Amino acid sequence: MRTCVRNAVIAVAAVSMGVSLAACGQDEGNGADTGGGPRIGVLMPDAVTSRWERDDRPLLEKKIKELCGDCTVQHANARADVATQQQQADSMITRGVDAIVLVAVDARSISAAVRKAHQAGIPVIAYDRLAEGPIAGYVSFNGQEVGRLQGRALLTAMAHRRTQGDQIVMMNGDPTDPNAVAFKEGALSVLRGKVKIGKMYDTPSWRSDLANMNMSGALAALGAENVDGVYAAADVLASGSISSLRANKISPLPPVTGQDADLEAVRRIVEGEQYMTVWKPFQREAAAAATMAVAAARHESLDHIATGRVRIRSGQTVPAVLLTPVSVTVDNIKGTLVRGDVYTVQRICTPRLRAACDKAGLTG
């Protein structure tokens, strides 16, 4: 934990923001512990993508407690609002947490808060998305490889359809998310020259309803019969796109990609509505970030945790852990998601999907 002198420095900044700090050795709100162990903040970006609250936050908290019995975790979710996340970050800085794990809503907008944390001596671990500013470490998956996996899978699926068409719609993610940019670059590196990109959309806040609207617009502009595949950067965008295809009575559905291995997406894959998803083993990502956060909170080096380094906008490099994503289709659900303890067969296979699950070999 920090000394009173350190908290006094933070308090000076706090006064200028019109907020106050509790007395030295105490903290306010959000379940904070008044004991002597390190305090770690966890800032989630939204509740639109189910993984953040369903998987990542519980995994982070569990691993932090395993590594540091006297650590306490404070968490907040920005609900996809940039200003809200900035306020949440400022609040944690004011409270004098010892480290922050951050999934940025907007990588550029959060940079001021990252700088403020750095100035207060609070290391920030960028989680899943590479936030701008002087971060202390970064944990994620290889974003361009995610896009390449999606692009390759889409080409494979389209080849199996044995149609003469080769036109796709690209439903990319939020352009303010550096990961979305990497996914798009990776996908285009595979798809360019192989297919015609009839329409390409960026999707602010990864909103399913916007994907639905954009897909309807693409179908109207291109002709439903001329859409042979859909690159969707995430399962939430696949969901909106497929809803539009269904509403427009497209049958059979063209192959649609995805990412995050959401349960409903896995069920769509079993049923044949979605072709694939990309599984990013969240347990490994959360474990690496928790390990970095605990080490950072204890003022220890992160180099022994990192598998490499990434360059941030300032030109400096920071310790990083970059993990390998996994392509999931109906043929390998059991060998990936079930074997990886993400879902049981029973959870995937609702009564409505029993025949499809049997066909896919999802039994037991």
Side-chain angles (χ1 to χ4, degrees):
M1 291 294 290
R2 290 175 176 71
T3 64
C4 291
V5 173
R6 164 75 184 286
N7 281 339
V9 173
I10 299 172
V12 172
V15 169
S16 68
M17 295 187 291
V19 298
S20 62
L21 283 174
C24 188
Q26 298 179 339
D27 195 30
E28 298 179 297
N30 205 21
D33 187 356
T34 58
R39 291 170 293 171
I40 297 174
V42 174
L43 294 175
M44 292 285 112
D46 61 66
V48 175
T49 302
S50 61
R51 60 168 285 194
W52 303 124
E53 294 295 335
R54 181 199 66 202
D55 298 307
D56 296 85
R57 183 172 65 80
L59 288 167
L60 282 163
E61 292 180 355
K62 180 181 178 182
K63 188 63 177 180
I64 287 169
K65 293 300 292 183
E66 286 177 0
L67 295 169
C68 179
D70 63 345
C71 281
T72 55
V73 179
Q74 302 175 26
H75 71 268
N77 190 304
R79 305 290 172 182
D81 186 77
V82 172
T84 296
Q85 187 166 71
Q86 290 171 331
Q87 292 166 1
Q88 290 168 344
D90 285 345
S91 176
M92 288 189 177
I93 294 166
T94 299
R95 291 172 179 168
V97 297
D98 296 275
I100 295 174
V101 178
L102 167 69
V103 190
V105 174
D106 183 315
R108 182 167 297 175
S109 297
I110 202 65
S111 61
V114 175
R115 284 194 298 272
K116 190 178 295 183
H118 179 72
Q119 290 164 0
I122 302 171
V124 175
I125 308 301
Y127 182 73
D128 203 76
R129 299 173 180 173
L130 186 58
E132 292 190 11
I135 59 172
Y138 176 51
V139 178
S140 189
F141 290 81
N142 185 322
Q144 291 208 6
E145 180 60 15
V146 170
R148 288 191 288 266
L149 288 175
Q150 293 168 322
R152 292 178 196 128
L154 188 58
L155 292 179
T156 297
M158 291 172 66
H160 288 166
R161 281 167 61 90
R162 297 186 175 86
T163 63
Q164 297 303 310
D166 62 354
Q167 182 165 243
I168 70 167
V169 173
M170 285 195 76
M171 207 67 65
N172 301 306
D174 189 330
T176 67
D177 180 348
N179 280 355
V181 176
F183 304 151
K184 181 178 177 179
E185 290 174 350
L188 286 173
S189 73
V190 172
L191 296 171
R192 276 198 185 108
K194 303 288 182 60
V195 295
K196 179 182 178 182
I197 300 172
K199 288 288 183 180
M200 183 186 299
Y201 302 95
D202 292 334
T203 316
S205 300
W206 298 88
R207 286 172 50 186
S208 180
D209 61 323
L210 293 180
N212 184 294
M213 180 183 71
N214 288 335
M215 179 55 65
S216 296
L219 293 172
L222 302 174
E225 70 281 5
N226 296 319
V227 175
D228 304 294
V230 178
Y231 168 83
D235 292 333
V236 66
L237 304 183
S239 175
S241 299
I242 291 169
S243 294
S244 174
L245 293 166
R246 286 277 185 216
N248 283 276
K249 303 188 184 308
I250 309 299
S251 182
L253 292 175
V256 181
T257 66
Q259 177 185 185
D260 290 331
D262 286 347
L263 179 58
E264 288 306 315
V266 176
R267 289 172 176 162
R268 288 195 298 268
I269 292 170
V270 171
E271 197 169 13
E273 289 191 331
Q274 184 172 325
Y275 180 70
M276 65 84 72
T277 188
V278 174
W279 173 41
K280 300 188 294 188
F282 306 133
Q283 295 94 331
R284 299 176 202 167
E285 186 179 24
T291 304
M292 273 197 175
V294 170
R298 291 171 170 167
H299 310 289
E300 298 170 357
S301 171
L302 305 185
D303 289 330
H304 69 287
I305 301 166
T307 58
R309 300 183 72 86
V310 296
R311 189 174 302 279
I312 59 177
R313 184 175 286 271
S314 67
Q316 295 178 306
T317 63
V318 299
V321 175
L322 294 178
L323 301 163
T324 303
V326 179
S327 179
V328 177
T329 65
V330 70
D331 296 324
N332 69 344
I333 290 173
K334 193 167 187 177
T336 54
L337 301 179
V338 175
R339 186 172 295 171
D341 294 325
V342 181
Y343 305 117
T344 63
V345 169
Q346 290 74 20
R347 192 170 179 205
I348 296 169
C349 296
T350 61
R352 181 177 62 83
L353 295 178
R354 178 51 55 195
C357 281
D358 289 344
K359 183 178 178 181
L362 290 172
T363 57

